[in-house]
Amino acid sequence: MTVLKDFLEPQLQALRDQGLYNTIDTVEGPNGAKIKINGAELINLSSNNYLGFANDDRLKKKCIEATEQYGVGAGAVRTINGTMTVHDELEKRLAEFKHTEAAIAFQSGFNCNMGAISAVMTKKDAIISDELNHASIIDGCRLSGAKILRAKHQDMIDLRRVAKEATESGQYEKIMYITDGVFSMDGDVAKIPEIVAIAEEFGLITYVDDAHGSGVMGKGAGTVKHFSMSDKIDFQMGTLSKAIGVVGGYVAGSQQLIDWLKVRARPFLFSTSLTPGAAAACIEAIDIMEHDPERMEKLWENGTYLKAGLVKLGFDIGYSETPITPCIIGDENLTQQFSRRLLEEGVYAKSIVFPTVPKGTGRVRNMPTAAHTKEMLDEVLASYEKVGKELKVI
Ligand SMILES: *Cc1c(COP(=O)(O)O)cnc(C)c1O
């Protein structure tokens, strides 16, 4: 008992002293375009619920129906008897939607990366990883035991150099390149055609984590589909927890790859499957995206509107190519103060500072969704103008 206490107490205190201890805001109700926190109604610009599916009546209905039909839990891991008709259907629909031979669903995007990377890569291999890749990619790479080679963010000259050196060293059995499809801090998009060319030149395995691209890019089917390169990327990983609005992760790829993951990806073998209700809600989300592009169009329209408004006010919004809209303030303290003031004005937009982003590039990150109205975005822009002038950012 005292050993643990002696470890935790000073560390917690140090975090609190440095103002780095993160307190968690509890949302009182659904996570929509507006949320309630501590009794206050706020315009929500901090969710990944891009299409508003998290609280969509059609998805809720399918979730309830599947729960009635199959129960609240799957009762086992996928490989024992936790694979229900609804899981098979989800995987079939995902593969069709992504234009791949097959797909495998996991309980989260995080454990999908942990399981999928380490099922294929070993300590005899190397993984070239974009320096800004998501934590779950980093952990998946580490777990595999492969040598991790960093490549500069979105720098194709550097990627080519690292790939060339790794290949010529003759040290590795296989080499993989892994990248986010859409980077969540800046909203920039992976250069898939250039990546494919380099991968073909050096015989790299390619892995795109499209957590923020699924449901957003390529008419919902993701970044790889956006570039029409579905047959050129080995692993198209995505989440069911962001734009899809539910929970889970998946890999879409060749039948061979999926066959292998189903016998080797450890979270698939040793962790209970997605709940049937979640799987059914995800199928409904795919249905809607396939038949009705209206939500996705609205998302992009809202992103464009917010960006144009912020630029007009004189803010720096970086180089986002997606609806993700960072508003770059710079100084860490000023960024946090900016976000706090927005909150007082009724706008929930989180500050993101070092070490999540480089020093001096603190930003308030805005995640508009299809569920926001023009009126809400106008209110947001009015708050930005007020706080921006008050804090002399504009
Ligand atoms: C959010 C995210 C994940 C994890 O997905 P979850 O389904 O939330 O576990 C993985 N990769 C990237 C790039 C992400 O942004």
Side-chain angles (χ1 to χ4, degrees):
M1 298 281 278
T2 58
V3 174
L4 181 61
K5 191 164 183 281
D6 290 349
F7 166 73
L8 295 175
E9 207 159 84
Q11 307 234 42
L12 281 167
Q13 196 52 49
L15 284 179
R16 291 197 176 100
D17 291 346
Q18 294 161 45
L20 294 176
Y21 187 80
N22 183 34
T23 52
I24 295 170
D25 299 324
T26 300
V27 177
E28 298 145 6
N31 193 328
K34 286 196 172 179
I35 47 173
K36 209 165 155 200
I37 291 174
N38 291 326
E41 260 227 341
L42 307 164
I43 299 174
N44 176 17
L45 285 173
S46 290
S47 82
N48 301 314
N49 182 18
Y50 289 109
L51 300 174
F53 281 160
N55 189 36
D56 185 285
D57 285 337
R58 294 163 291 183
L59 272 72
K60 287 200 285 193
K61 184 161 170 280
K62 293 289 175 184
C63 179
I64 292 164
E65 283 171 11
T67 304
E68 296 285 1
Q69 188 180 350
Y70 296 95
V72 288
V77 304
R78 288 289 302 274
T79 49
I80 308 287
N81 60 10
T83 295
M84 294 165 157
T85 320
V86 71
H87 297 105
D88 285 342
E89 192 190 338
L90 173 61
E91 289 172 342
K92 185 168 156 275
R93 295 296 300 276
L94 280 168
E96 283 165 12
F97 190 49
K98 304 293 282 193
H99 296 264
T100 58
E101 286 174 15
I104 174 174
F106 289 82
Q107 306 88 340
S108 83
F110 201 107
N111 81 11
C112 177
N113 277 337
M114 298 286 283
I117 300 168
S118 61
V120 169
M121 302 308 280
T122 74
K123 58 179 185 300
K124 295 180 183 155
D125 302 323
I127 306 175
I128 307 172
S129 178
D130 185 285
E131 63 185 342
L132 296 190
N133 276 345
H134 188 259
S136 58
I137 297 180
I138 296 168
D139 286 8
C141 292
R142 285 186 185 147
L143 186 65
S144 75
K147 174 81 179 168
I148 301 167
L149 306 168
R150 268 162 68 109
K152 284 190 191 139
H153 179 54
Q154 294 262 47
D155 181 337
M156 294 300 116
I157 294 169
D158 198 49
L159 170 59
R160 197 173 178 285
R161 177 189 65 79
V162 178
K164 188 165 187 283
E165 280 176 18
T167 310
E168 285 173 357
S169 78
Q171 280 182 53
Y172 307 111
E173 263 183 25
K174 315 190 276 305
I175 305 171
M176 171 187 273
Y177 176 61
I178 188 162
T179 180
D180 282 21
V182 172
F183 288 84
S184 63
M185 296 303 149
D186 291 299
D188 51 332
V189 175
K191 299 172 175 133
I192 304 292
E194 288 162 85
I195 290 166
V196 166
I198 294 168
E200 284 179 349
E201 184 180 350
F202 297 102
L204 311 180
I205 296 171
T206 47
Y207 190 125
V208 174
D209 172 343
D210 220 8
H212 287 272
S214 313
V216 175
M217 301 289 292
K219 296 194 164 46
T223 306
V224 175
K225 179 72 191 346
H226 169 80
F227 289 104
S228 301
M229 300 198 112
S230 299
D231 55 340
K232 305 278 189 197
I233 294 291
D234 295 305
F235 291 72
Q236 285 193 63
M237 178 272 172
T239 56
L240 302 166
S241 21
K242 289 180 173 143
I244 311 302
V246 192
V247 71
Y250 61 88
V251 175
S254 70
Q255 187 66 54
Q256 242 177 5
L257 171 64
I258 304 309
D259 288 348
W260 180 251
L261 294 179
K262 286 190 168 178
V263 293
R264 279 292 182 276
R266 290 166 72 82
F268 189 85
L269 279 91
F270 299 109
S271 178
T272 300
S273 6
L274 278 173
T275 66
C282 292
I283 295 170
E284 180 66 9
I286 298 170
D287 243 1
I288 298 171
M289 288 190 292
E290 276 176 345
H291 298 114
D292 176 12
E294 182 262 336
R295 284 290 182 107
M296 288 171 275
E297 286 161 8
K298 184 81 169 108
L299 165 68
W300 282 85
E301 199 184 297
N302 280 345
T304 307
Y305 187 77
L306 183 65
K307 280 180 181 169
L310 287 172
V311 168
K312 198 162 160 233
L313 289 172
F315 286 103
D316 173 7
I317 61 160
Y319 45 85
S320 172
E321 303 164 72
T322 61
I324 296 171
T325 306
C327 182
I328 299 169
I329 309 290
D331 178 76
E332 281 70 28
N333 287 323
L334 186 61
T335 307
Q336 282 163 343
Q337 195 186 352
F338 201 107
S339 170
R340 272 197 304 275
R341 280 290 297 117
L342 284 175
L343 182 68
E344 286 162 9
E345 296 297 320
V347 177
Y348 192 88
K350 283 287 211 187
S351 59
I352 298 179
V353 297
F354 180 80
T356 308
V357 293
K359 259 211 169 82
T361 72
R363 76 237 8 229
V364 177
R365 190 178 58 153
N366 304 284
M367 309 288 270
T369 74
H372 289 88
T373 62
K374 281 264 148 28
E375 293 69 38
M376 290 179 200
L377 297 179
D378 285 336
E379 268 186 64
V380 167
L381 289 167
S383 301
Y384 261 95
E385 183 172 18
K386 183 173 173 193
V387 175
K389 284 182 176 155
E390 183 185 305
L391 299 180
K392 301 193 167 45
V393 176
I394 52 170

